[in-house]
Amino acid sequence: MNPIYFDLDFGITCIDTEHMRKDFVAAYLIEDNGRAAFVDTGCYLSVPTLLATLDAKNIKPENVDYILLTHIHLDHAGGAGELIKHLPNATVYVHEYGANHLIDPSKLRAGVISVYGELFFKQFLGDLIPIPENKVVIAKDGDVITLGNRTLKFINTPGHARHHVCIWDEKSKGLFSGDTLGVSYREFDTDQGELIFPPTTPVQFDPEVWKNTIQKLMALQPKYAYLTHFNRIEFTSQSANMLIQHIDGFVKIANTLKNRPNRHKAIKESLLNYLLDIATKHGVILDEAQQVKLFKGDLEICAQGLGVWLDRN
Ligand SMILES: [Zn+2]
């Protein structure tokens, strides 16, 4: 197997897990002084790619100390249980609200199947393997771990999900941001920079909490965000403002359509128009059919998450 990966600097590699399509779901590998860590894993089906990347980079599985999970959505953490079987010295770090779901994934599995369906689960997510309890460590806000000669710090980052942490890499002044600093596909890069929007995934989207989290992260003055979706971007105060603006934009759509019959469909259509509009203003020249294809997966999930949020309020 030939894994697709991108060597960034500071010993960081962005691995394309090839979940659903290329350039969609990343996992990261950090190497420092002979030791290594994964940040996020993609889903169960991504594990062969992660192992092939280790092999391609001549890193022994026993030199991997950590699997660091930003949160337990399956495109980020679904592969952890399978991956750790191959990494004899690794422990998994996860937010306290996620830990039990990794040790006993039955509820997580049922939740995912209720959102995506059994067929999707089997075909695109594969499986979910329990992680032995003694391999799971709770990542508390402010905790610092050492990897080789560098330190990595966990920061609680609720808003996209309550079980979300970001990982601050002092060496590169970068945040492994999971979904907290948004989604940004390289296909939408223009001379205006990156187009960033919020994945308002079910079931814990909370816009006000999320916006506070973004402000808190910006106090670190990050240079980079290592996005799961997709790859590293420079993350500036303009990036943060764009993300916050579109969180508000998505919420406005939800509130405007909350009493509509066929609410889900109406929200989805309105989100698509919103995204096409911001892409046009951003100078994106891809034709509309290509854009629709790239936005498609997010639209369904974002509309569902906004619906769950409306029902909760
Ligand atoms: Zn997520």
Side-chain angles (χ1 to χ4, degrees), residues 212-227:
N212 285 336
T213 287
I214 295 164
Q215 303 289 13
K216 180 172 87 170
L217 292 176
M218 291 316 286
L220 293 164
Q221 298 186 292
K223 186 165 168 29
Y224 298 116
Y226 300 95
L227 307 177

Side-chain angles (χ1 to χ4, degrees), residues 3-165:
I4 301 169
Y5 59 84
F6 307 90
D7 287 314
L8 309 173
D9 38 15
F10 305 102
I12 296 168
T13 304
C14 172
I15 305 167
D16 189 339
T17 67
E18 300 181 66
H19 173 62
M20 310 295 287
R21 63 175 172 87
K22 287 194 173 72
D23 305 326
F24 182 51
V25 178
Y28 290 92
L29 180 66
I30 314 173
E31 297 170 71
D32 203 299
N33 202 31
R35 309 308 299 176
F38 283 103
V39 181
D40 285 346
T41 63
C43 68
Y44 172 87
L45 301 173
S46 314
V47 172
T49 303
L50 305 183
L51 295 173
T53 306
L54 282 184
D55 195 43
K57 297 181 80 68
N58 288 315
I59 299 171
K60 292 197 183 80
E62 49 270 37
N63 290 353
V64 179
D65 292 333
Y66 308 115
I67 300 171
L68 310 175
L69 300 176
T70 60
H71 63 307
I72 61 166
H73 289 158
L74 294 202
D75 50 336
H76 300 258
E82 176 61 21
L83 180 62
I84 201 159
K85 293 200 292 190
H86 302 268
L87 307 176
N89 298 319
T91 42
V92 176
Y93 279 67
V94 66
H95 190 284
E96 62 172 320
Y97 296 152
N100 288 337
H101 292 291
L102 299 180
I103 295 162
D104 174 8
S106 54
K107 270 193 197 151
L108 186 58
R109 176 194 293 261
V112 168
I113 288 173
S114 78
V115 173
Y116 296 90
E118 180 91 44
L119 193 69
F120 182 94
F121 179 81
K122 287 231 166 72
Q123 193 173 356
F124 294 109
L125 296 165
D127 204 350
L128 206 45
I129 307 294
I131 302 177
E133 193 169 352
N134 64 355
K135 298 272 186 184
V136 177
V137 180
I138 307 277
K140 288 201 259 341
D141 188 43
D143 279 357
V144 174
I145 56 171
T146 303
L147 179 77
N149 291 327
R150 81 212 279 157
T151 56
L152 299 165
K153 182 177 178 180
F154 295 99
I155 304 165
N156 253 354
T157 53
H160 169 78
R162 287 190 291 129
H163 46 87
H164 204 300
V165 295

Side-chain angles (χ1 to χ4, degrees), residues 143-219:
D143 279 357
V144 174
I145 56 171
T146 303
L147 179 77
N149 291 327
R150 81 212 279 157
T151 56
L152 299 165
K153 182 177 178 180
F154 295 99
I155 304 165
N156 253 354
T157 53
H160 169 78
R162 287 190 291 129
H163 46 87
H164 204 300
V165 295
C166 289
I167 296 136
W168 171 246
D169 174 38
E170 182 65 35
K171 203 171 215 173
S172 67
K173 302 277 177 215
L175 280 161
F176 291 90
S177 58
D179 287 338
T180 293
L181 293 181
V183 161
S184 176
Y185 300 124
R186 305 283 53 81
E187 293 90 338
F188 293 92
D189 289 351
T190 67
D191 53 12
Q192 293 182 47
E194 296 88 8
L195 185 73
I196 304 168
F197 63 93
T200 58
T201 314
V203 290
Q204 296 176 347
F205 166 62
D206 188 330
E208 293 311 310
V209 168
W210 194 346
K211 289 191 283 180
N212 285 336
T213 287
I214 295 164
Q215 303 289 13
K216 180 172 87 170
L217 292 176
M218 291 316 286

